[in-house]
Amino acid sequence: MELMKTELIKTSSPKAGVVLIELNRPEKRNALNNATLKAIADTLQILDSDIEVKTVVITGNTQCFAAGADLNELAQLDVVSIQQDQRPLLWKRIDEFSKPLIMAVNGYAFGAGFELALHGDIVMTGDNAQFALPEIGLGMLPGAGGTQRLARLVGQQLCMRWAMTGEVISAQTALQHGITSQVCPADLTVQYAVELAAKIAKQAPLAIRVIKQSLKSIHEVSLSQGLKLERQHFVWLAATQDRQEGINAFLEKRKPEFKGA
Amino acid sequence: MDYQTIIVEEKNAVGYLTFNRPKQLNSFNESMHQEVSSVLKRWAKDAAIRAVVISAEGRGFCAGQDLNDRVVDPNADAPDLGLSIEKYYNPLIKLITEMPKPVICAVNGVAAGAGANIALACDIVVAAKSASFIQAFCRLGLVPDSGGTWFLPRLVGRAQAMGLAMLGDKISAERALQLGMIWQVVEDEQLKAEAEKMAEHLATQPTYGLSLIKKAIHAAADNNLDEQLILERDLQRLAGRSSDYREGVQAFMQKRTPQYKGC
């Protein structure tokens, strides 16, 4: 795995097929400045084309996932320069990552940090996690999909309330409303996220790929179009060796060995 | 640091917080809330403090809210009693229940209203024989606060909790013990020594492990068995990584007394 050298994030491979990205600006509470966001996007792009990599976990540290955007950077932007800001492109590149992306969130996930978590296909949360969209307190609104992705997850009522007040959302509340799929003791969140990633990494990569595509399309297309798309993926998988292997292994009562072919 | 309403002492890894407004039966006013909370917050983070004892000066333990601090003019607008609860009592109860180390309460005399429920929020309650508990709220048309309606049914069952909260009778330390509300009753003159002995013992024990026990038992109140079994697995996983667990096993194998560091 050839990755760019940066202090902003740390990458490692704790299990076969799994890459762990740790945000590494603890002194700034992992505030997501452009350079960090770019490091994430660049890294994901490299990992996307690396066939050894099956799933990616992004985390901060046990006290903080990411406490928001970098306000010093934001403050310098006026209405003209903000139009040329590269940030929307960086977010888009993160959104386009084609493999399963798991967010392991401990501590603060505020503002852009929350929005980064919302980019995850699966979110795992420490019991100390706190989510919030505090942009309103700065006279702004969430600018990286916060209003859109959150409303689609939890509905308009709660999203309106949270975006208009900046209220803090506890891990338990996040679980209750589907922002996260599991609450773990904070010291175990990353371990459990990596274990989940490893479990997914063992699955048939092509099937995983189309599952992600199918699910990510639900907010783009109508149900009938979505069902058609799902059917196409279903048919397409029939041409893969992994599907044959999966069915054979099941009938022969053994574990399948998927090759991504 | 100088305190006006409490006495604070740190000795042998134990933090002693003593309510010190004996003339007012140690009832809470704003400055007492602020002082208590600043000390508890500090101890929660201080790894050198491995057990906490809460007790009181004089003949009473704590009479709850100092009513002189509240507007009781019958002709004035209705007071907002939710304010002081939101600002002071609720955070205080959370400080005690979320303290990652054992909190012992030594109840030396009458514990009334919020005073009773602050005691019940502690992990281990030792009471002097002459101490008593009163859920006085119902007599003023109020509701047991500071976690009272949460702790009582869990400690003594619904029937007894309802009786205590609706009748507001004073019950003796012995009765509280019978009901399972508290851990131990001792002779009045033994109270201080007993609490100190227990705290000093706990302060030599695996503090981190004890904090996980506390977390698990509190979580059990809301979890079903499946959830609790999963939590136990998680906490045991964490406990098994502590240096105290290693030390405990080694000491057992080597047939010696373990030396726990609390982490």
Side-chain angles (χ1 to χ4, degrees):
Chain A
M1 184 171 56
E2 269 302 308
L3 292 175
M4 42 171 295
K5 291 272 175 281
T6 170
E7 300 283 305
L8 300 168
I9 57 174
K10 289 191 281 191
T11 53
S12 56
S13 182
K15 293 229 177 198
V18 178
V19 170
L20 175 66
I21 300 178
E22 294 166 89
L23 305 180
N24 187 34
R25 294 176 83 210
E27 72 288 353
K28 297 274 180 196
R29 290 183 172 192
N30 293 330
L32 294 167
N33 61 356
N34 281 9
T36 307
L37 217 49
K38 184 166 187 306
I40 297 170
D42 289 349
T43 305
L44 288 178
Q45 191 167 8
I46 295 164
L47 298 176
D48 218 352
S49 53
D50 184 339
I51 56 159
E52 298 300 316
V53 176
K54 311 293 185 197
T55 50
V56 173
V57 177
I58 298 184
T59 193
N61 53 49
T62 40
Q63 274 78 48
C64 185
F65 180 70
D70 193 314
L71 283 180
N72 294 323
E73 255 179 26
L74 265 178
Q76 287 162 9
L77 296 174
D78 61 19
V79 70
V80 175
S81 54
I82 211 163
Q83 304 213 21
Q84 287 136 12
D85 191 15
Q86 59 165 339
R87 269 179 101 77
L89 275 173
L90 296 173
W91 285 111
K92 191 156 177 279
R93 287 172 58 203
I94 294 170
D95 190 37
E96 283 167 353
F97 183 61
S98 75
K99 297 172 185 179
L101 186 56
I102 298 174
M103 299 292 174
V105 179
N106 288 317
Y108 301 108
F110 282 9
F114 191 1
E115 291 173 304
L116 178 62
L118 290 168
H119 278 73
D121 300 316
I122 300 173
V123 178
M124 304 272 280
T125 304
D127 53 9
N128 66 345
Q130 298 189 318
F131 297 90
L133 294 175
E135 285 87 347
I136 184 60
L138 305 167
M140 304 192 304
L141 89 165
T147 63
Q148 300 303 301
R149 289 195 177 87
L150 188 60
R152 282 163 167 81
L153 270 184
V154 305
Q156 182 188 315
Q157 277 298 313
L158 283 170
C159 187
M160 280 280 186
R161 177 177 174 151
W162 289 335
M164 288 183 171
T165 60
E167 277 173 357
V168 172
I169 304 157
S170 70
Q172 277 307 326
T173 304
L175 180 68
Q176 194 183 342
H177 297 291
I179 296 170
T180 178
S181 66
Q182 189 182 334
V183 177
C184 330
D187 286 335
L188 294 174
T189 316
V190 172
Q191 180 186 339
Y192 287 1
V194 166
E195 281 169 12
L196 183 70
K199 200 193 260 183
I200 295 170
K202 290 197 192 94
Q203 308 294 342
L206 296 170
I208 290 290
R209 191 183 179 88
V210 293
I211 285 173
K212 175 159 175 169
Q213 280 176 19
S214 255
L215 274 158
K216 284 203 84 163
S217 75
I218 61 167
H219 297 302
E220 308 287 341
V221 303
S222 66
L223 177 61
S224 59
Q225 285 172 305
L227 290 170
K228 265 184 215 151
L229 200 67
E230 185 192 76
R231 186 67 201 165
Q232 282 166 14
H233 288 316
F234 194 81
V235 170
W236 179 76
L237 281 181
T240 64
Q241 294 170 22
D242 280 350
R243 177 178 177 275
Q244 197 59 50
E245 165 65 9
I247 294 172
N248 287 346
F250 180 81
L251 295 174
E252 293 161 18
K253 295 179 177 155
R254 61 173 173 83
K255 280 196 173 165
E257 279 184 40
F258 296 119
K259 296 196 179 72
Chain B
M1 227 191 281
D2 265 357
Y3 296 101
Q4 308 302 315
T5 64
I6 55 175
I7 302 165
V8 174
E9 194 191 358
E10 296 176 9
K11 202 177 75 186
N12 298 332
V14 179
Y16 294 89
L17 191 168
T18 308
F19 301 151
N20 189 27
R21 300 180 74 223
K23 279 187 202 141
Q24 294 82 13
L25 288 176
N26 302 306
S27 58
F28 272 83
N29 58 13
E30 285 204 5
S31 52
M32 182 154 147
H33 271 298
Q34 279 154 3
E35 292 186 353
V36 167
S37 119
S38 80
V39 173
L40 291 180
K41 272 184 196 157
R42 177 158 61 78
W43 284 345
K45 287 188 188 146
D46 185 351
I49 296 295
R50 291 168 59 187
V52 171
V53 175
I54 297 178
S55 63
E57 280 292 301
R59 60 193 176 88
F61 171 70
C62 174
Q65 171 65 32
D66 189 339
L67 292 178
N68 293 324
D69 237 32
R70 280 189 176 160
V71 186
V72 280
D73 175 2
N75 298 317
D77 286 344
D80 182 358
L81 299 187
L83 281 180
S84 72
I85 290 184
E86 190 170 309
K87 195 166 171 196
Y88 294 122
Y89 288 97
N90 287 357
L92 170 61
I93 297 303
K94 291 200 120 190
L95 273 174
I96 295 171
T97 53
E98 287 169 11
M99 176 86 65
K101 49 200 86 181
V103 182
I104 296 162
C105 188
V107 183
N108 52 304
V110 65
N117 295 334
I118 288 165
L120 299 184
C122 297
D123 302 321
I124 300 183
V125 184
V126 184
K129 211 168 213 168
S130 68
S132 56
F133 297 83
I134 317 172
Q135 296 292 331
F137 305 91
C138 56
R139 299 175 175 198
L140 290 168
L142 298 182
V143 179
D145 58 24
S146 304
T149 61
W150 195 91
F151 293 118
L152 278 174
R154 284 168 171 82
L155 287 166
V156 301
R158 195 178 69 173
Q160 297 293 336
M162 283 288 187
L164 290 170
M166 287 190 158
L167 296 169
D169 290 343
K170 179 193 268 198
I171 63 163
S172 66
E174 289 287 358
R175 177 85 183 118
L177 182 65
Q178 273 175 9
L179 288 173
M181 222 166 90
I182 61 173
W183 171 249
Q184 193 184 3
V185 176
V186 297
E187 296 296 334
D188 289 11
E189 57 275 17
Q190 293 297 317
L191 180 69
K192 227 178 153 184
E194 277 298 326
E196 189 173 313
K197 196 172 92 185
M198 186 187 290
E200 292 201 344
H201 162 71
L202 284 169
T204 64
Q205 294 302 295
T207 312
Y208 178 60
L210 296 180
S211 79
L212 298 181
I213 293 176
K214 180 167 175 174
K215 196 172 186 175
I217 288 181
H218 275 290
D222 297 320
N223 279 350
N224 61 35
L225 178 59
D226 282 354
E227 291 164 337
Q228 192 67 12
L229 288 172
I230 288 172
L231 180 66
E232 286 179 2
R233 175 205 63 192
D234 288 349
L235 298 184
Q236 203 71 298
R237 191 165 255 154
L238 292 173
R241 293 177 188 170
S242 66
S243 64
D244 280 349
Y245 172 63
R246 241 166 242 269
E247 165 64 10
V249 172
Q250 267 180 6
F252 179 79
M253 308 285 255
Q254 296 163 2
K255 297 185 173 136
R256 60 173 174 83
T257 312
Q259 299 290 318
Y260 293 120
K261 295 202 288 278
C263 53

